[in-house]
Amino acid sequence: MSPFRHLGKIQKRLEDVKNQWVRPARADFSNHESARLATDALLDGGFEAYGRALSQEGEVDFLSSEEVQYIRAQAREPPCALDAPGGAEAGPQGLDACSLQSGTYFPVASEVSEPAPMLAWAAAEKPYLKDKSSATVYFQTDKHNNIRDLVRRCISRTSQVLVILMDEFTDVEIFCDILEAANKRGVCVCVLLDRGGVRLFQEMCDKVRVCDSHLKNVSVRSVAGVVYCAKSGRKFAGQIREKFLISDWRVVLCGSY
């Protein structure tokens, strides 16, 4: 008889769903400890350490090659890896990972607090609180409601506040619509970009010769996804893969454009 082989959560479920005679189990949404250990190993020791952790945990390779490359490229050293004032005896100034219990769920523990909202915008009148809400779905195949034209029309109708979140912003024509709203109509504009997309946005501004003086009423900020922190302190930030637009607190556009 072969010895018992430990199976990770994903590996066990894969074998269960492939076997038509096994009764389906209730969905398990608990923390995936094997995945955490393997991800920590990838951050701390590279791809070989990641493979060893998967083998020890009896787990499948759950990360794509692109995800592995991204995590390795974005990995950052813990605070203790920096030279602390006063020499090595001073110790780390940040989070002491060794003092935390082993049961701590680090992806949640590593989340940073959200930035404080702009006070002027928070105090602005929000008419949507009094209106009845509704939702409309548009499809890219609908030639009478082109998604890009819907975005541009929404920007042209904005009179107070415009918020745009994009993973990558390189559309010069929509950028012109935003500048017109901000500089000609006095609309307060906030553009949120994924941290990895800032370079492309800056490249667009340089090409069309837009400088800070043209962005007096436009706030451009970069945001990162959820931060994953290994127990060693090494960490990486995820990516923002969302797109939405908020106009005058009344209209929200969200989609794949």
Side-chain angles (χ1 to χ4, degrees), residues 175-233:
F175 189 39
C176 288
D177 295 334
I178 291 174
L179 292 178
E180 181 182 27
N183 297 333
K184 305 295 184 181
R185 304 200 307 273
V187 176
C188 294
V189 179
C190 180
V191 178
L192 300 175
L193 303 170
D194 178 78
R195 194 161 295 171
V198 173
R199 178 185 60 82
L200 296 176
F201 181 81
Q202 184 64 55
E203 182 181 284
M204 177 185 66
C205 291
D206 293 341
K207 287 182 177 180
V208 298
R209 299 181 180 179
V210 170
C211 57
D212 292 345
S213 62
H214 303 118
L215 300 172
K216 291 182 178 179
N217 213 25
V218 181
S219 173
V220 181
R221 299 187 176 190
S222 65
V223 291
V226 175
V227 176
Y228 180 96
C229 185
K231 196 169 184 179
S232 64

Side-chain angles (χ1 to χ4, degrees), residues 127-136 249-252:
Y128 67 82
L129 293 176
K130 304 175 183 178
D131 296 343
K132 183 179 179 179
S133 61
S134 62
T136 305
W249 310 116
R250 183 189 295 272
V251 178
V252 178

Side-chain angles (χ1 to χ4, degrees), residues 6-159:
H6 172 72
L7 296 180
K9 180 188 292 188
I10 303 177
Q11 178 68 68
K12 184 177 186 305
R13 189 163 189 221
L14 276 173
E15 295 195 6
D16 287 347
V17 297
K18 287 189 292 185
N19 188 338
Q20 61 177 328
W21 305 111
V22 175
R23 177 179 296 182
R26 179 178 298 180
D28 184 1
F29 299 104
S30 61
N31 297 337
H32 190 173
E33 184 66 10
S34 297
R36 184 188 71 81
L37 292 172
T39 306
D40 283 9
L42 176 62
L43 274 171
D44 296 336
F47 187 74
E48 291 185 359
Y50 170 68
R52 289 195 298 269
L54 291 177
S55 178
Q56 292 171 2
E57 293 296 316
E59 192 54 276
V60 296
D61 185 352
F62 56 90
L63 294 175
S64 69
S65 57
E66 183 176 342
E67 289 170 331
V68 169
Q69 292 176 4
Y70 176 85
I71 291 173
R72 293 293 295 160
Q74 298 296 321
R76 297 294 178 263
E77 295 292 338
C80 58
L82 304 176
D83 293 331
E89 293 80 6
Q93 300 296 317
L95 176 67
D96 183 6
C98 297
S99 65
L100 297 175
Q101 298 180 358
S102 60
T104 302
Y105 185 44
F106 282 85
V108 172
S110 63
E111 288 180 353
V112 295
S113 59
E114 296 180 356
M118 295 184 177
L119 297 179
W121 289 11
E125 183 181 358
K126 302 176 179 59
Y128 67 82
L129 293 176
K130 304 175 183 178
D131 296 343
K132 183 179 179 179
S133 61
S134 62
T136 305
V137 179
Y138 299 97
F139 295 94
Q140 187 69 20
T141 53
D142 185 356
K143 299 185 182 299
H144 299 290
N145 290 295
N146 181 272
I147 301 299
R148 187 170 182 271
D149 291 343
L150 286 172
V151 171
R152 298 193 61 202
R153 282 199 292 268
C154 185
I155 295 174
S156 68
R157 294 168 182 165
T158 304
S159 60

